[in-house]
Amino acid sequence: SLYHGFIDLLRAARLKGLKIEEAATNADLQLFARLLLQVSVGERPTEEMVSELKVRASTHIELDLLDEEEEIINEVDQERVAKQIYLRSIGVVKSVFDSFRRNDRVNSRRIKRVVQQMIESLNFNPENLLNLTSLKNYDEYTFNHSVNVSVLGIALGRHLGLSRQQAYLVGQAGMLHDLGKLYVPPKVLNKAGKLTPEEQKATRMHPIDGFLTAATQLGISDGSIDIALASYEHHMNLDGSGYPTAPTAGAMGLLSRILAIVDRYDAMTSSRVYREKPIPPHKALAIMFHSQQSHHDKGMLRYFINMMGIFPLGTVVRLSDDSLGVVVGCPREAELRHFPTVKMILEPDGRPASGEKLDLAATAKDPEPMRVEEIVDAGQYGIEIMDYIL
């Protein structure tokens, strides 16, 4: 997955070729790595990277750029484009958070730019980007989680019929909703055991700190106020529980109601310091519907469950021929929802599959269609979802 991640960085920087000679020094490699990261997260154009390498006499590293025609061909591969957007978004969130730590300044323009790209990708084919929210990086949880919340929030907003401008605000709010965690001591955020009352209080301050930071950094406008309120309210519940304490039950804004659902879902399906094994997607949805329904806007929650499907994206399933696959697509037709598209992982005899996609809905009317027999635990088979999604 590291190899594929590096290839995606090169593609995001519009590079089709890279040659590093043996004579390249550590300084050359460090310079190239720094420039590549800046280009991949949108801080500078590729042409500047090429020029700077030449100016600083890094002649042992040669770059081959895509020409215009090749770029157009590459853009047609929307699945690859979605991966570039997703990886770039994680880099942007990390850079924005790091910049705020150093300079007390939030670069909202970069957040807005990448959210626009998310919206375009989701409008073209929502499954390409939604599939990537199955990726969970334990070491970079805050950044990975922020991007997942943004993608899931935009997708739910589309499902609810929100305008493009409203979806744009939801995306920004998702990227910035955990900004207040920068004020929580790392030893508290990363503590595996039970928090003391003082530590719990510090953790529960992050929505307030996030609100104050967003309110002061994003300026005064209706949109920025909505984003700041979403930071403040995303851990509140409609029944008045949660934190910070809601003044009255049901007093939550539109963005906050959306973020509360997708934030909880992504957190439940991720590994955390206090929970080694994530909750499988279908179980997380069941918990939210049966045990936490009073916490959420019931209409929105139903829309979210409908959007994610009977077999949510990223679920590992056993098929009727005993093969295993990971769900990467869900039919829109209600009568076909139990016939997802799966990316094959293991053959019936246990051998690794070639990774082809199988659309179960295409054969649903056959006398004996291929179907999902059961949902299985990926960890039980040593399956790393990232290897098949990324």
Side-chain angles (χ1 to χ4, degrees), residues 107-375:
N107 188 340
S108 60
R109 286 183 300 174
R110 297 182 59 205
I111 293 288
K112 292 177 180 178
R113 192 181 312 131
V114 81
V115 167
Q116 288 175 334
Q117 294 170 345
M118 287 180 182
I119 292 173
E120 293 299 331
S121 179
L122 286 165
N123 284 341
F124 185 87
N125 185 336
E127 287 175 354
N128 286 334
L129 204 54
L130 277 173
N131 272 327
L132 296 170
T133 62
S134 302
L135 304 179
K136 315 290 183 180
N137 188 331
Y138 180 85
D139 294 324
E140 300 284 358
Y141 171 77
T142 297
F143 313 121
N144 194 173
H145 173 65
S146 296
V147 173
N148 286 350
V149 169
S150 185
V151 172
L152 290 168
I154 295 170
L156 178 55
R158 291 177 70 259
H159 215 60
L160 293 167
L162 266 58
S163 68
R164 183 184 176 92
Q165 180 60 26
Q166 288 173 314
Y168 183 51
L169 293 176
V170 171
Q172 293 176 67
M175 295 280 271
L176 295 171
H177 79 285
D178 268 343
L179 194 59
K181 284 187 175 179
L182 292 174
Y183 297 90
V184 183
K187 66 178 182 179
V188 176
L189 276 180
N190 301 319
K191 184 175 179 179
K194 186 177 180 179
L195 299 180
T196 65
E198 293 76 16
E199 291 169 338
Q200 191 174 67
K201 183 178 179 181
T203 300
R204 293 194 167 199
M205 280 293 294
H206 85 264
I208 298 172
D209 291 328
F211 167 79
L212 293 172
T213 300
T216 55
Q217 291 286 325
L218 301 182
I220 302 300
S221 70
D222 290 342
S224 62
I225 291 172
D226 287 341
I227 292 170
L229 280 174
S231 294
Y232 183 75
E233 296 177 341
H234 71 277
H235 280 296
M236 287 184 182
N237 298 321
L238 275 184
D239 60 9
S241 61
Y243 64 92
T245 304
T248 56
M252 288 175 65
L254 174 67
L255 270 62
S256 306
R257 295 177 187 226
I258 292 174
L259 257 60
I261 291 172
V262 299
D263 172 75
R264 183 159 298 173
Y265 173 79
D266 189 69
M268 290 172 71
T269 55
S270 302
S271 296
R272 307 294 300 275
V273 290
Y274 52 81
R275 184 184 62 233
E276 183 179 348
K277 291 186 65 176
I279 299 172
H282 69 289
K283 289 187 178 179
L285 292 178
I287 291 170
M288 292 175 71
F289 183 76
H290 293 294
S291 304
Q292 301 175 354
Q293 195 171 134
S294 66
H295 294 177
H296 302 293
D297 183 306
K298 292 181 180 178
M300 283 188 184
L301 181 57
R302 288 192 176 95
Y303 269 105
F304 181 66
I305 292 171
N306 180 263
M307 180 184 84
M308 299 306 288
I310 297 172
F311 305 109
L313 301 176
T315 302
V316 178
V317 294
R318 184 192 304 283
L319 303 183
S320 50
D321 68 347
D322 254 0
S323 59
L324 294 186
V326 58
V327 175
V328 295
C330 180
R332 296 182 185 277
E333 300 86 349
E335 66 273 14
L336 296 175
R337 300 287 277 181
H338 53 297
F339 288 101
T341 297
V342 298
K343 192 169 188 177
M344 303 310 299
I345 297 175
L346 294 178
E347 300 287 357
D349 60 6
R351 291 183 296 110
S354 59
E356 75 277 10
K357 290 182 181 179
L358 182 61
D359 182 2
L360 300 185
T363 61
K365 295 182 180 180
D366 289 357
E368 294 185 11
M370 185 82 77
R371 62 175 64 248
V372 174
E373 288 293 330
E374 63 174 340
I375 294 172

